[in-house]
Amino acid sequence: MENTTTVTTAIKQDTNELFPVFLKLDQLNVLIVGGGKVGLEKLHALVHNSPASGITLVATEISHAIKTLVQDYPKVELHERPFEESDIEGRDIIIVAVNKRDVSASIHEIAKRSGKLVNVADTPDLCDFYLSSVVKKGNLKLAISTNGKSPTAAKRIKEVLNDALPAELDEVIRNLHQVRGKLNGNFENKVKKLNALTKVLVESDSSFSEKRWKRVASYSVAAFAFMLIGHFIFSYLPLQVIAEKTLTLYRGLDANFHWMVLAGFLAQMVDGATSMGYGVTSAIALMSANVSPAAISGSIHTAEMFASGASGYSHYKFGNVNKKLFKALLVPGVIGAVLGAVLLVKFGETHIAYIRPIMAMYTLVLGIRIFITAFKKSNVKKKFKRYGWLAGAGGFFDSFGGGGWGPIVTATLITKGRTPRYVVGSVSLTEFFVTLASAFTFFTLIGVQHWQVIIALIVGGLIAAPLAARLNGKLPRKASFILLGVVVVAWSIRILVRAI
């Protein structure tokens, strides 16, 4: 009996007794002390969950990663100097991310004397609260705590839940919110109705097992039906005939079809990682075949529509898209693309000698500025309000000049201090709608030409799109800026040389 009591007591002592609370952080003042990797991790967690938070970060040295991060968060203040006791004044929450334990303990003592809530990184004994790993699906947010014992385990559990919970849960929550507002009756009656509606979310294992077996049965029937269809097809079309037809079709392809696929792959790798260069890279193959300017632009935009769609979706999935920037670029970009396509078909080749050199000179200056920016210590965000004019010009030149959406829009925004990762992601997603509008206009006016080139570019682009989006944001800041500069300068010089 005594042993049982001892074991029970031990289990109770090892229980997580923390009380979870979700704070309205935008109504509080937060101080972070420390500007290294730990400070970056804490700051990223705060602004990711509450972008409007008022945060002050103090450190003797602040990393480039932090300076880059805060460009999109105007309420975050950076002070590159030693911590002072007066920094505590007016703060509600203190987060200490300093490597030196004696300094952390000293700051903790100062904060506690002022009655502040304190979190000291990697020191549970000096923490009034812990920053949890968070799973976020729209309005749904789950906080994970291991009682300060293993943040790594919490991160792994977060990854599991992120994959397991469907994105549609947010739509379910919004729908239930609307249902809740329309329900009549007393509180008890409303609870019963909502419980009945949400019962499907907590179905038993047997229900899930039943659904799983239904899916297995459905797939089995579909497989059997596919076998029957295949039997009837092969009864009238023997395998030898199908093989001969396939071989004949393959031999009928353009001799440069493989190189076209490679061109589409390389073009999308560059475009997906830097949001520029697809049209330029693809146009090399088409120009060598003496294709007319309207057909070049039409073919590239038809193929690019599929590649940019895959690229834009990949960027959105990996969190590279700034929604406000996307909305600001969308409509003007589409209008410019339609206008450029119409004028190109109407005026034919007469514009080439005048428009491309002007555009190349502009992008050459931007490319040089990107190189200069790559070697600066920090990139201060500048005010820029002409998003509509910029997108309209980019869309117009992209259709009218045979390329230029990425070099014009992406390069301009980056030279204005916008974060490259979100610029590339947002511009890539917008590019799908711009190319869709351009391709639709060309199709309406001149139809589809050079279908083999289009198919080859589509195949290569679809293969490269997820890889390029995955690479975006992974390169160091300096390397990504240098890569962008190389693409822009090379594209500009090539156009100028051809003009001369």
Side-chain angles (χ1 to χ4, degrees):
M1 189 70 178
E2 183 179 350
N3 292 339
T4 304
T5 304
T6 303
V7 173
T8 303
T9 303
I11 294 175
K12 286 183 177 180
Q13 289 175 347
D14 201 34
T15 299
N16 189 335
E17 297 182 354
L18 296 173
F19 185 74
V21 174
F22 287 91
L23 299 174
K24 294 183 178 180
L25 212 59
D26 57 338
Q27 300 178 17
L28 301 174
N29 290 318
V30 182
L31 172 67
I32 299 177
V33 183
K37 292 183 179 179
V38 180
L40 173 63
E41 182 181 355
K42 302 295 184 184
L43 177 61
H44 184 272
L46 295 179
V47 296
H48 177 71
N49 285 280
S50 185
S53 301
I55 302 172
T56 301
L57 188 146
V58 178
T60 53
E61 184 177 351
I62 300 176
S63 67
H64 293 306
I66 291 179
K67 292 178 180 178
T68 302
L69 175 63
V70 301
Q71 292 175 7
D72 292 327
Y73 302 99
K75 295 190 71 175
V76 178
E77 297 180 5
L78 302 182
H79 298 283
E80 201 162 16
R81 57 170 174 77
F83 167 79
E84 299 173 359
E85 189 169 342
S86 59
D87 292 328
I88 299 292
E89 298 176 3
R91 312 298 174 190
D92 300 298
I93 296 174
I94 314 298
I95 297 176
V96 184
V98 180
N99 290 330
K100 298 180 180 179
R101 288 187 174 272
D102 55 339
V103 176
S104 298
S106 175
I107 298 173
H108 172 268
E109 184 179 349
I110 294 171
K112 293 308 294 180
R113 284 203 304 264
S114 301
K116 310 296 183 181
L117 291 174
V118 187
N119 173 279
V120 180
D122 296 327
T123 313
D125 294 340
L126 299 181
C127 290
D128 297 317
F129 64 94
Y130 301 133
L131 298 183
S132 58
S133 291
V134 176
V135 178
K136 186 177 180 181
K137 298 284 183 178
N139 290 291
L140 176 65
K141 185 172 288 187
L142 305 177
I144 303 168
S145 168
T146 58
N147 208 14
K149 293 187 175 182
S150 179
T152 301
K155 290 179 182 179
R156 295 304 180 203
I157 295 171
K158 168 189 172 181
E159 293 173 1
V160 172
L161 291 177
N162 255 327
D163 294 335
L165 296 176
E168 291 78 10
L169 275 177
D170 186 50
E171 184 178 355
V172 172
I173 292 172
R174 290 197 303 267
N175 292 338
L176 287 173
H177 175 69
Q178 295 178 1
V179 171
R180 179 187 178 190
K182 296 177 181 180
L183 288 177
N184 299 319
N186 56 30
F187 177 76
E188 183 179 355
N189 185 46
K190 290 182 178 180
V191 171
K192 288 182 179 179
K193 289 182 179 179
L194 288 174
N195 283 339
L197 288 172
T198 55
K199 186 178 180 180
V200 66
L201 299 176
V202 289
E203 287 181 328
S204 63
D205 292 340
S206 60
S207 298
F208 285 112
S209 178
E210 182 180 349
K211 287 185 176 181
R212 184 168 60 249
W213 284 111
K214 284 183 179 179
R215 286 198 298 269
V216 171
S218 299
Y219 292 150
S220 300
V221 171
F224 182 67
F226 182 77
M227 290 172 61
L228 288 176
I229 294 172
H231 173 72
F232 288 119
I233 291 176
F234 293 134
S235 296
Y236 294 97
L237 293 174
L239 285 174
Q240 184 176 356
V241 175
I242 295 176
E244 290 175 356
K245 294 288 185 183
T246 303
L247 186 60
T248 302
L249 179 63
Y250 176 77
R251 289 173 177 173
L253 292 176
D254 191 289
N256 295 319
F257 186 83
H258 305 90
W259 295 110
M260 298 288 187
V261 173
L262 179 60
F265 178 86
L266 296 176
Q268 187 54 43
M269 283 296 292
V270 174
D271 185 77
T274 66
S275 191
M276 61 182 74
Y278 184 94
V280 178
T281 310
S282 303
I284 294 174
L286 298 183
M287 287 180 181
S288 64
N290 295 319
V291 182
S292 66
I296 288 177
S297 189
S299 299
I300 290 175
H301 284 89
T302 302
E304 191 177 10
M305 178 178 64
F306 295 91
S308 62
S311 177
Y313 172 76
S314 299
H315 279 292
Y316 183 80
K317 181 180 178 182
F318 294 130
N320 300 337
V321 176
N322 182 311
K323 293 182 180 179
K324 290 184 179 179
L325 179 59
F326 165 70
K327 292 177 181 178
L329 299 175
L330 179 60
V331 175
V334 169
I335 294 173
V338 173
L339 180 61
V342 172
L343 292 179
L344 174 61
V345 174
K346 183 177 181 180
F347 293 106
E349 301 182 8
T350 57
H351 72 285
I352 295 296
Y354 307 102
I355 298 299
R356 282 191 174 177
I358 296 174
M359 185 170 59
M361 286 296 297
Y362 172 70
T363 54
L364 179 62
V365 173
L366 291 179
I368 294 173
R369 290 181 63 185
I370 290 175
F371 268 116
I372 296 173
T373 304
F375 296 96
K376 287 183 178 180
K377 289 187 176 180
S378 61
N379 190 18
V380 180
K381 185 176 179 179
K382 304 173 184 177
K383 289 185 178 180
F384 184 75
K385 298 180 179 180
R386 301 183 185 91
Y387 294 103
W389 287 104
L390 176 64
F396 176 82
F397 285 123
D398 195 58
S399 293
F400 192 65
W405 168 260
I408 291 175
V409 180
T410 302
T412 301
L413 292 176
I414 288 178
T415 56
K416 294 299 179 182
R418 302 285 304 200
T419 305
R421 173 187 173 187
Y422 295 107
V423 169
V424 172
S426 304
V427 173
S428 293
L429 182 59
T430 311
E431 187 178 18
F432 166 71
F433 297 96
V434 172
T435 54
L436 175 62
S438 181
F440 180 79
T441 306
F442 281 117
F443 175 77
T444 303
L445 297 177
I446 63 174
V448 177
Q449 301 181 19
H450 304 281
W451 64 270
Q452 292 192 28
V453 176
I454 294 173
I455 292 177
L457 294 177
I458 290 174
V459 171
L462 291 178
I463 295 173
L467 300 175
R470 193 65 163 169
L471 289 175
N472 180 40
K474 303 297 183 183
L475 290 175
R477 175 182 176 274
K478 181 180 291 187
S480 62
F481 272 75
I482 292 174
L483 176 60
L484 290 173
V486 168
V487 174
V488 177
V489 171
W491 185 84
S492 305
I493 292 176
R494 179 181 177 276
I495 297 299
L496 289 173
V497 169
R498 287 181 62 85
I500 294 174

